[in-house]
Amino acid sequence: MKNTKEYLIPFIGLKLGKHHFEYQISNAFFEIFDYDEYLDSKIKVNVVLEKKSTLLELRFNHKGVVNVPCDLTSEDFDLPIEGEMKLIVRFDEVYNNDNDELLILPHGEFEINIAQYIYEMIVLSVPLRRVHPGIQDGSLKTEALTKLNELAVKEEKEESKEEENIDPRWDKLKQLLTDK
C-alpha cells in the first residue's frame, strides 16, 4: 500500500471529547488500494473521533458521487452514494482487527490509520448492480437499450406461444385446485 500519512490521526495529544476531521476523496485515494472501478469520484468524508479515558469511538459519514458505467448499457453516469460506519478502538496487549466494528491496538500506540476504513465504507456503499437513472424513468435512449427492449418483447411472445400449446388435460387438473 502506498503513502497514507494524511489519514493518520495522532490521538495521543488530543484532549478528552469530540474531534472532527474532514477528508475529500477522489480517484487518487482509490489508486492507493489499486482499485479502479470508478471513472471519477468526489466524496466528502466526515470523521468524528470521541476520545474517552479508556477507548476511542470513531464515527464515519460520507456523501458524494462516483462515476461508474451502467451495467445494462455501459453508459457512464454519476451515482450518488452515502453511508456511515462506527468503529470502537480499545487498547490491549496485542493488535487485533478481526471484528469490523472493534479495533484493538497495543498500549504503546499513539496514532490510528483510518484509510482502510474509509476505503471499505465507500466501496461497500456502492450497489453491486449499477443502473443508469435514465433507464428507470425512460429518458435514456441508447442502441444497447433499444436492442434489449427488442429482445424482451420477443421473449414475451415466445412465452405466450408456449402457454397456447398446453395440453388441455392440464386445464382439468388446474380446475381441481381452484374448485376447493
Side-chain angles (χ1 to χ4, degrees):
M1 197 163 55
K2 298 177 185 173
N3 188 7
T4 59
K5 285 185 180 178
E6 64 186 281
Y7 303 101
L8 282 174
I9 298 177
F11 56 82
I12 197 75
L14 298 176
K15 295 181 180 180
L16 295 180
K18 292 185 179 182
H19 305 276
H20 300 273
F21 301 91
E22 185 175 299
Y23 300 95
Q24 296 295 330
I25 304 297
S26 65
N27 272 10
F29 175 78
F30 295 106
E31 289 172 5
I32 295 170
F33 298 94
D34 294 327
Y35 190 78
D36 58 357
E37 288 282 318
Y38 311 138
L39 305 172
D40 190 27
S41 56
K42 295 179 186 94
I43 305 162
K44 182 179 175 182
V45 177
N46 292 313
V47 180
V48 176
L49 182 143
E50 185 174 355
K51 185 175 180 181
K52 298 181 179 180
S53 60
T54 59
L55 58 92
L56 304 171
E57 278 188 31
L58 289 113
R59 294 183 191 276
F60 299 86
N61 290 312
H62 75 280
K63 188 171 187 173
V65 295
V66 291
N67 191 289
V68 294
C70 174
D71 289 338
L72 296 176
T73 63
S74 297
E75 293 288 322
D76 299 337
F77 71 102
D78 286 336
L79 178 68
I81 61 168
E82 62 182 285
E84 59 184 39
M85 186 178 84
K86 183 178 176 183
L87 177 68
I88 296 176
V89 180
R90 297 188 65 196
F91 299 96
D92 204 352
E93 298 297 320
V94 181
Y95 175 85
N96 186 349
N97 67 349
D98 290 342
N99 193 329
D100 293 338
E101 297 177 359
L102 177 66
L103 173 65
I104 299 174
L105 293 177
H107 287 292
E109 287 293 318
F110 60 94
E111 62 187 6
I112 181 172
N113 189 341
I114 60 170
Q116 181 70 33
Y117 297 102
I118 293 173
Y119 167 75
E120 289 175 5
M121 176 182 62
I122 293 171
V123 170
L124 292 174
S125 70
V126 177
L128 291 175
R129 185 160 187 197
R130 304 168 190 144
V131 179
H132 194 290
I135 292 174
Q136 295 169 349
D137 63 17
S139 63
L140 182 68
K141 304 293 182 208
T142 63
E143 290 180 31
L145 194 58
T146 306
K147 191 68 174 175
L148 283 172
N149 288 335
E150 288 174 9
L151 293 173
V153 172
K154 288 181 181 178
E155 290 176 5
E156 290 174 6
K157 289 180 182 177
E158 290 176 10
E159 289 176 10
S160 63
K161 287 180 183 177
E162 289 177 9
E163 290 177 8
E164 293 173 7
N165 295 333
I166 294 177
D167 192 345
R169 292 177 286 184
W170 288 108
D171 291 334
K172 293 288 184 186
L173 289 173
K174 287 181 184 176
Q175 285 178 352
L176 290 174
L177 289 175
T178 58
D179 289 344
K180 289 183 179 179

